[in-house]
Amino acid sequence: MTITTPAHGGVDLAGATAHAAGLLAALGIPCDSESTAGTPRRMAKALAELTAGVHLDPTRHLKVTFPPEAAQPGLIAAIDVPFVALCEHHVLPFPGRATVAYLPAPGARIVGLSKLARLAQEYAARPQVQERLGRQVVEALVSSLDVQGAACLIRSQHACMTLRGARAHDAAMVTSHLAGALDADPARRAEVLALMPSPS
């Protein structure tokens, strides 16, 4: 899913472009050729798109619900949801995949599966750390829906670790956030952990 840059909400593209040009100049990177003259603006637009989630409320996707198909529903999950987030420490991307799951309370209303994907992707579209991303998704599910439990499992590759610093090529970071029955019930916990996203 592409998250477009909002037309409002505090995005100063001209100011960001000027700062991008200054940053590149300070790093000794010239932007004076036909090919690179537009680089500062493209850089600013790319960062605005990748952080567009700061202007959005992802929980709005959980406001439209449907009646359950069964009185005692089972686990509902969106698996291998792709996302791209920016590490807030280095402003480098960490693309990955998430599994977003919840166990509705008996008789509780449910949301469309696509909303689970949008929830994760919009929380990802902001300066992030992976641990917070998973927690935000779970907290949104618990606070917005009538659930017995919720979970967010994430596998990603952080450019700040694979392309610089440790240069741990192909290393992945895996996190799990579980709440309610999906954490406390051993059988439910095993069921949801088995849905850990696959390597990209």
Side-chain angles (χ1 to χ4, degrees):
M1 180 185 77
T2 299
I3 299 174
T4 57
T5 305
H8 52 81
V11 176
D12 177 6
L13 189 58
T17 298
H19 284 291
L23 173 62
L24 292 169
L27 292 172
I29 300 173
C31 292
D32 54 4
S33 69
E34 181 179 354
S35 177
T36 61
T39 295
R41 181 174 175 81
R42 288 189 292 267
M43 177 180 170
K45 287 182 69 175
L47 288 172
E49 180 179 340
L50 289 169
T51 58
V54 299
H55 306 289
L56 301 172
D57 175 14
T59 63
R60 75 189 188 284
H61 296 298
L62 304 179
K63 297 187 185 305
V64 177
T65 60
F66 305 94
E69 294 297 322
Q72 296 288 338
L75 185 69
I76 297 173
I79 302 172
D80 283 343
V81 175
F83 70 85
V84 178
L86 284 183
C87 164
E88 69 178 28
H89 302 135
H90 299 93
V91 198
L92 289 172
F94 62 95
R97 294 183 177 274
T99 289
V100 181
Y102 71 103
L103 182 64
R109 295 175 68 85
I110 60 174
V111 295
L113 277 179
S114 68
K115 308 309 182 188
L116 301 181
R118 292 180 188 277
L119 183 71
Q121 290 174 325
E122 288 188 5
Y123 273 122
R126 54 184 64 183
Q128 270 291 11
V129 294
Q130 184 169 325
E131 299 89 338
R132 182 193 305 132
L133 173 57
R135 175 176 53 79
Q136 287 174 325
V137 170
V138 168
E139 288 178 350
L141 292 168
V142 170
S143 64
S144 301
L145 301 176
D146 185 9
V147 301
Q148 298 180 70
C152 183
L153 314 176
I154 302 173
R155 179 192 299 272
S156 72
Q157 289 191 313
H158 291 244
C160 56
M161 179 174 70
T162 61
L163 301 182
R164 57 159 299 282
R167 297 185 186 275
H169 303 294
D170 297 325
M173 180 175 179
V174 174
T175 54
S176 62
H177 287 79
L178 300 93
L182 298 187
D183 184 32
D185 184 322
R188 289 292 189 185
R189 182 181 178 88
E191 179 184 9
V192 75
L193 288 177
L195 303 178
M196 179 62 71
S198 307
S200 299

